[in-house]
Amino acid sequence: VYKSYIDGHLQCQVNAIVERHMAVLSQNYIYNAAVLVVHVPSGEVRAYVGNSAARKGSRGDQVDIIRAARSSGSILKPALYALMLQNGMILPRTLIPDIPSRFGSYAPSNFNRDFRGAVPADEALAQSLNIPFVRMLRDYSYARFYDDLKQLGISTLHRSAEHYGLSLILGGAETSLWDVCQLYTGMASTLRHYNEEDGQYFGGEYRKMKLWRDEILSGEKVGEGKNAGRAAGDGVGMEEFCFIIEFVLENRYEFRVQRCLGCGSESGLCYRSLGRECRRRGASRFGGGQDCCSCIV
């Protein structure tokens, strides 16, 4: 018998939320959705929706999207932005060229096929502009970013850094929803501990998510190792990294984003609204603020 950390009441609520949103999204031929809700302090997975229920016209509904490797899209842009800030390579208002660009045979374009000329780095993140971020990755080095992502828990980069090249920042690499949730849960947990424990670190922040009770990760039972120093995957100077991410996403992305980072939608009928509702439910169920819960859709 396997026992999980799933919260039955929360799971039913999240199932209902997904079904309600998919009834609308399916009108735009969007038939698949997955949701992972994690309790940040413990890393326990409290709700797990691997895919939405089958409906007329849908396909692939038996695939567990949470574990499946697929294009990362723009979800890694905040990580590159924060790493460059942390390493002193940019400031939030550093101007980045957003002009027609070619890097060898690679010619990226923005989602709306438009160009801004020169755009501050924080606005490039808020609006998920492609060309500025390819330029930023070129300056940072895609090989260096590739190594950082592996340290931060992205486990699906099975090919070499040279194989992905500059497309690494625009969805040219594979990642899973599980790994992305592990990354952002680790950020939230690191910042939470850093603030609450007077700057102390906890080992294994980026390997702490668990679905099954008594699960063993990296040879150490998850939850042990308090104040154990930086464990494998914790070597990127994470407290500054996480603070920058929190600041940018709260002060820029949340209020000024023109389209969804995940699905490109410019309307309210997108995965962002689904994620917000699931996160509110999780935070309410956990009895804490929204920072006690991470929800990846």
Side-chain angles (χ1 to χ4, degrees), residues 42 49 51 60 63 66 73 87 107 114 139 147 154 182 198 200 202 244 259 261 281 287 291 293:
S42 66
V49 179
N51 208 326
V63 175
I66 290 175
N87 284 277
D114 198 6
D139 294 342
D147 290 338
I154 303 300
Q182 186 115 261
D198 194 27
Q200 297 185 64
F202 284 52
I244 292 165
R259 66 183 183 84
L261 264 174
R281 291 286 186 179
D291 61 344
C293 158

Side-chain angles (χ1 to χ4, degrees), residues 13-72:
Q13 288 185 317
V14 172
N15 287 345
I17 292 169
V18 171
E19 181 60 26
R20 178 156 44 82
H21 279 261
M22 291 309 298
V24 177
L25 290 169
S26 62
Q27 303 304 310
N28 290 328
Y29 306 101
I30 299 173
Y31 296 114
N32 305 97
V35 178
L36 195 58
V37 181
V38 179
H39 184 233
V40 170
S42 66
E44 296 166 358
V45 175
R46 300 292 179 84
Y48 188 113
V49 179
N51 208 326
S52 50
R55 60 181 66 245
K56 185 177 180 180
S58 67
R59 62 183 66 182
D61 46 87
Q62 296 182 2
V63 175
D64 182 356
I65 301 176
I66 290 175
R67 298 287 187 173
R70 54 199 297 269
S71 171
S72 58

Side-chain angles (χ1 to χ4, degrees), residues 39 192 279-280 282-293:
H39 184 233
R192 185 185 182 94
R279 189 177 183 217
R280 284 196 299 268
S284 174
R285 182 64 172 169
F286 300 154
Q290 297 236 0
D291 61 344
C292 77
C293 158

Side-chain angles (χ1 to χ4, degrees), residues 157-173:
L157 300 175
H158 301 308
R159 297 176 174 84
S160 67
E162 289 70 24
H163 174 87
Y164 300 114
L166 295 176
S167 72
L168 182 61
I169 197 63
L170 300 185

Side-chain angles (χ1 to χ4, degrees), residues 70-81 110-111 121-131 133 169-171 175 180 183-184 187 245 248-250 252-267 269-273 276 296-297:
R70 54 199 297 269
S71 171
S72 58
S74 293
I75 203 67
L76 301 178
K77 287 177 180 175
L80 177 61
Y81 174 88
N110 292 323
F111 179 80
D122 57 353
E123 292 187 17
L125 174 62
Q127 298 178 27
S128 191
L129 299 178
N130 292 338
I131 293 174
F133 268 88
I169 197 63
L170 300 185
T175 190
V180 170
L183 169 63
Y184 284 96
M187 290 181 189
I245 284 291
V248 170
L249 297 190
E250 285 186 358
R252 290 284 180 183
Y253 174 69
E254 186 69 19
F255 301 105
R256 301 188 60 182
V257 69
Q258 294 183 353
R259 66 183 183 84
C260 174
L261 264 174
C263 65
S265 171
E266 295 182 357
S267 70
L269 301 178
C270 73
Y271 290 131
R272 286 182 70 227
S273 58
R276 282 174 175 168
I296 304 295
V297 176

Side-chain angles (χ1 to χ4, degrees), residues 11 64 69 85 134 141 179:
Q11 181 71 49
D64 182 356
L85 273 174
V134 174
S141 166
D179 281 358

Side-chain angles (χ1 to χ4, degrees), residues 201-220:
Y201 295 98
F202 284 52
E205 294 279 38
Y206 292 83
R207 299 291 190 277
K208 69 184 293 183
M209 268 174 49
K210 54 188 183 290
L211 175 60
W212 305 105
R213 295 182 182 274
D214 300 320
E215 187 171 358
I216 305 296
L217 296 182
S218 302
E220 180 183 74

